[in-house]
């Protein structure tokens, strides 16, 4: 597997947790290919920054917040711009 940046991992976790019913840690763990320790750190970071919520009464179900959805949108748009600039030919 190629090296992924923190932003790529964060966006992947947020994207996985956009499902209406939410997702549990196990599903996130398998889909991100992270170790349990790394996943715990990322989930903690995302919760501290209000990008993801954990619903304990539903069996530790994670859902992306509105703020997290805005982050995903901006991240996607930024990746489009980067892809466009990588494809440009600069003339002198």
């Amino acid at each position: 597997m190629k090296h992924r940046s923190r932003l790529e991992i964060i966006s992947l976790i947020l994207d996985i947790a956009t499902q209406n019913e939410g997702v549990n840690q196990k599903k996130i763990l398998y889909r991100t290919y992270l170790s349990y320790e790394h996943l715990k750190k990322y989930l903690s970071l995302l919760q501290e920054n209000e990008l993801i919520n954990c619903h304990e009464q539903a069996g530790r179900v994670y859902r992306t917040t509105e703020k997290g959805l805005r982050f995903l949108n901006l991240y996607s748009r930024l990746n489009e711009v980067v892809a466009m600039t990588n494809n440009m030919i600069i003339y002198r």
Side-chain angles (χ1 to χ4, degrees):
M1 176 170 287
K2 75 175 188 89
H3 176 73
R4 300 174 292 177
S5 71
R6 285 183 77 183
L7 286 177
E8 286 175 304
I9 294 169
I10 288 169
S11 68
L12 180 58
I13 293 170
L14 292 174
D15 188 50
I16 293 166
T18 58
Q19 297 178 13
N20 287 337
E21 68 277 0
V23 292
N24 59 27
Q25 273 187 354
K26 187 176 182 179
K27 191 170 199 172
I28 298 171
L29 190 69
Y30 289 148
R31 293 195 49 203
T32 59
Y33 300 104
L34 291 172
S35 70
Y36 179 69
E37 291 302 315
H38 281 114
L39 179 62
K40 284 192 330 186
K41 290 177 184 176
Y42 277 104
L43 290 175
S44 177
L45 173 72
L46 294 172
Q47 286 179 304
E48 288 171 13
N49 288 284
E50 300 174 350
L51 298 173
I52 201 168
N53 282 333
C54 179
H55 301 277
E56 298 287 336
Q57 64 274 24
R60 291 195 80 129
V61 172
Y62 292 89
R63 291 188 185 100
T64 303
T65 64
E66 286 297 319
K67 186 176 178 181
L69 292 173
R70 286 193 307 270
F71 173 90
L72 277 175
N73 187 332
L74 287 171
Y75 182 76
S76 174
R77 290 172 45 200
L78 181 60
N79 276 337
E80 288 174 13
V81 170
V82 169
M84 281 180 8
T85 58
N86 285 341
N87 293 329
M88 285 183 182
I89 298 173
I90 301 174
Y91 295 101
R92 290 185 181 212

